[in-house]
Amino acid sequence: MKLIYKDISIPAKADKPIFWAAPVLFVATAAAFVALIPVAPGWVVADIDLGLLGVFAVIGFFPIITILSAWSANSKFPFIGGIRALFQMVSFEIPLILSLLGVVMLTGSLNLSEIAASQSVFPWIVFLPVGAIVFFITMLAELERIPFDLPEAESEIVAGWLTELSGMMYGLVQLGTYLKLYAFAGLFVVLFLGGWNGPMVVPPFPAELLTGITMGPITAGPFPGLPLFTQEMLNGTLWFVLKTAGVIFFILLPRGVFPRIRVDMLLNLGWGKLIGLAFVNIFIALGLLYAGVLGPGGLQ
């Protein structure tokens, strides 16, 4: 509410069309990311067969939007922050994608709803902990959270690629950042923590809601809109929200624990260590698959 009433200042030498468009594109891309995350059985905006490829495609837009916003400001601090963001996102997107291939091999599907449904007995983090760790670290880097907040390092480059943004333009970027935070946390839950699966804690609906309530000569019901909110959907939503809130807590926790790392350490971690661990995770998944322990049908 505060940012809505703030004035928007545009740098005199900025490329105005791109500068105006970048925050809108950022929040729109984050919203597209959210639309791909299934919350409960049948409750997803875009339930596409190649959902995980859609996630990779959407994530690939963030570095482009960031560098366009930084360049269009025509200022040194945003440009330095934009270059850092580009280095960071590109070097961490490769291990991010590789860390998820193990889940795809064991489930035999790229559909996020099917991946969540395949974890009704056990979550994939039990068998692929290395992939979960790699994905969590790369997720922190993609979100530009501490210790990977080099693109917005306020003690070094003012506010990085956000320096020249003001008013609701800055507000849109922050909105997109927190939508992206939720989407990544939800994606982690769907891929490694079983998605909406969990013990049934929601009580069943009273029979009167399904058959109708009779009061003397008047019968109310049955209620046609009730199947939209089945017991399974409400229970799945509850577990998904609890798991996602837990993942968000662990994403925010490093802010008070770790210092910011240097650029050379960041690139060495992304290109050197995490890609190697991602391949280890792929070999673990292949071993489980060819040993006959796991497969698209679960435990063999």
Side-chain angles (χ1 to χ4, degrees), residues 201-219:
V201 295
V202 175
F205 294 140
E208 292 82 2
L209 294 179
L210 301 174
T211 60
I213 302 172
T214 301
M215 295 176 288
I218 301 173
T219 300

Side-chain angles (χ1 to χ4, degrees), residues 1 14 19 27 48 53 83 138 146-147 155 174 183-184 194 213 223 235 238 272 282 300:
M1 290 299 294
F19 190 78
V27 74
I48 56 178
L53 284 183
I83 293 296
T138 54
I146 291 176
S155 58
Q174 291 301 313
F184 264 114
I213 302 172
F223 299 96
N235 191 75
L238 174 65
I282 291 173
Q300 302 298 310

Side-chain angles (χ1 to χ4, degrees), residues 98-107 124 127-128 277-296 300:
L98 291 176
S99 67
L100 303 182
L101 293 183
V103 173
V104 173
M105 286 188 290
L106 293 183
T107 56
W124 288 124
F127 295 98
L128 301 172
L277 287 174
F279 277 109
V280 169
N281 180 68
I282 291 173
F283 294 142
I284 292 172
L286 285 172
L288 292 169
L289 195 61
Y290 284 106
V293 179
L294 293 172
Q300 302 298 310

